[in-house]
Structures are given as structure tokens and as C-alpha cells.
């Protein structure tokens, strides 16, 4: 008989995660609209020059562009900092950059 209680708790936890994730997606959409007004073609520019960039890596770029730290980006995206470090590593690899130049590259190359 304990299984239904455990199952009910698990379902509530999953529902909470889903609600949290949809909130993050809505926030991202709002952020993207406002960011695009200030920096037109910022998102399209990268897709044309670097088509292998994934959606999650692409989400990282505007936050780097406005100068947020890895920890701040992780909090906004509701992920652990290690995930952001890994995405930054993949971006550097896709852009063929050394370790220290990702922020400068994004700020200077994708400014409008």
C-alpha cells in the first residue's frame, strides 16, 4: 500500500518540474524578444556562420554577450554550473577559440 503514496509524491514532483521548465521557456521567449530588439540579427548571424551550434549553446550566447557570469547563467537557465562550463567548452570548440577568448569573441563578433 505504500506504493500509491510514493507514486503520488513522485507525480507531484514531476508536475512541479514541468511547471518550472515551462516558466523557464516563457522567460527565454520574453528575453529573446527584448534582446532581439536591442541586437537585431544577433541570433540569425550565428546560425548562418556556425550552423552546428545547438539550441542550448545558442541560448548561452546572449547571456555571455551581456556579461553574465557562469553562475548567473546557470541560475537563470536552472542548470548546474558544470553544464554551463561544458556548453562554453563546446562553443569554444565550434568557434575554434582558445580558452580565454570566448567572451571577447561573442561580444565583438556578434554586436550589431
Amino acid at each position: 500500500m505504500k506504493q500509491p503514496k510514493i507514486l503520488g509524491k513522485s507525480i507531484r514532483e514531476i508536475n512541479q518540474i514541468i511547471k518550472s521548465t515551462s516558466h523557464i521557456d516563457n522567460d527565454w521567449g520574453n528575453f529573446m524578444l527584448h534582446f532581439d530588439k536591442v541586437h537585431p540579427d544577433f541570433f540569425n548571424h550565428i546560425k548562418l556562420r556556425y550552423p552546428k551550434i545547438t539550441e542550448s549553446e545558442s541560448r548561452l550566447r546572449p547571456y555571455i554577450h551581456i556579461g553574465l557570469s557562469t553562475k548567473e547563467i546557470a541560475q537563470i537557465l536552472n542548470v548546474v554550473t558544470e553544464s554551463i562550463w561544458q556548453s562554453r567548452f563546446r562553443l569554444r570548440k565550434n568557434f575554434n577559440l582558445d580558452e580565454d577568448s570566448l567572451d571577447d569573441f561573442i561580444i565583438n563578433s556578434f554586436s550589431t
Side-chain angles (χ1 to χ4, degrees), residues 80-94:
V80 296
T81 54
E82 290 80 7
S83 176
I84 302 301
W85 291 332
Q86 184 63 38
S87 292
R88 289 177 64 89
F89 173 80
R90 286 192 303 268
L91 279 174
R92 278 193 291 283
K93 185 177 175 184
N94 283 325

Side-chain angles (χ1 to χ4, degrees), residues 18-93:
I18 290 169
K19 286 178 185 178
S20 169
T21 303
S22 89
H23 179 67
I24 291 169
D25 289 340
N26 289 337
D27 289 347
W28 168 251
N30 289 333
F31 172 79
M32 196 169 148
L33 285 173
H34 293 291
F35 189 88
D36 197 45
K37 286 180 183 178
V38 177
H39 303 283
D41 294 326
F42 182 86
F43 295 100
N44 292 331
H45 185 152
I46 192 90
K47 287 179 186 177
L48 293 173
R49 288 183 57 197
Y50 302 95
K52 292 183 180 182
I53 302 297
T54 67
E55 180 66 28
S56 64
E57 293 164 354
S58 185
R59 283 187 175 198
L60 186 61
R61 289 183 15 264
Y63 295 121
I64 293 171
H65 185 77
I66 63 174
L68 295 180
S69 70
T70 298
K71 184 177 179 180
E72 291 168 325
I73 296 168
Q75 289 173 340
I76 290 169
L77 298 178
N78 199 30
V79 297
V80 296
T81 54
E82 290 80 7
S83 176
I84 302 301
W85 291 332
Q86 184 63 38
S87 292
R88 289 177 64 89
F89 173 80
R90 286 192 303 268
L91 279 174
R92 278 193 291 283
K93 185 177 175 184

Side-chain angles (χ1 to χ4, degrees), residues 7 15 17 28-29 34 38 53 67 77 97 107 112:
L7 184 59
N15 282 334
I17 291 169
W28 168 251
H34 293 291
V38 177
I53 302 297
L77 298 178
L97 301 172
I107 290 168
T112 54

